[in-house]
Amino acid sequence: MTINFKDALGVHADALELRAERTKVLAANIANESTPGYTARDIDFGAMMQDRIDTENGELSLSDDQPLYRVPFHPSADGNTVEIGVEQAAFGQNSSDFNTSLTFINMQLRGLAKAINGQ
């Protein structure tokens, strides 16, 4: 009997992958805070996660999985749309969500290890 890790881990593996992808996008925003003309981007995590779930269930995917552009609260004169406070808050929340998904995966893997060992 084989173990299908995709079934065992559920949506948490996809969530972890999408959170890592979002971390890269948010880090790029923070790194380009003072780049004139840079447009802040973000990922719609909920929509992308739903798209992955629908695809796994055999439904047709209609989204394009491209990062979205963020509309600034206070536009800058140089055309840069990065607002450092907004980006840092989004990065912190995403980091916390990443750690939560990682914790769920670790708990599920520990449970599998116990089942394999007969405990």
Side-chain angles (χ1 to χ4, degrees):
M1 179 174 174
T2 62
I3 296 174
N4 183 346
F5 284 104
K6 188 71 172 170
D7 290 339
L9 299 178
V11 298
H12 297 294
D14 287 333
L16 198 63
E17 183 181 345
L18 288 175
R19 291 284 176 206
E21 193 174 322
R22 186 168 187 236
T23 298
K24 291 177 189 176
V25 171
L26 294 172
N29 289 348
I30 293 170
N32 288 292
E33 175 206 2
S34 60
T35 304
Y38 183 82
T39 305
R41 300 179 311 151
D42 200 355
I43 292 175
D44 185 353
F45 176 81
M48 290 180 75
M49 193 67 202
Q50 187 61 49
D51 182 51
R52 291 216 179 168
I53 291 169
D54 291 345
T55 301
E56 289 175 7
N57 292 336
E59 297 175 22
L60 192 59
S61 171
L62 299 176
S63 72
D64 56 1
D65 288 350
Q66 294 297 317
L68 306 172
Y69 293 100
R70 189 180 308 229
V71 178
F73 294 109
H74 306 286
S76 65
D78 66 358
N80 186 313
T81 63
V82 175
E83 295 175 309
I84 196 66
V86 172
E87 300 302 328
Q88 289 173 332
F91 191 90
Q93 181 64 49
N94 190 62
S95 176
S96 175
D97 294 341
F98 182 91
N99 286 333
T100 301
S101 290
L102 190 59
T103 299
F104 279 119
I105 287 176
N106 282 334
M107 289 185 331
Q108 289 171 325
L109 289 176
R110 268 189 249 127
L112 285 174
K114 285 182 179 180
I116 290 170
N117 293 328
Q119 296 176 350

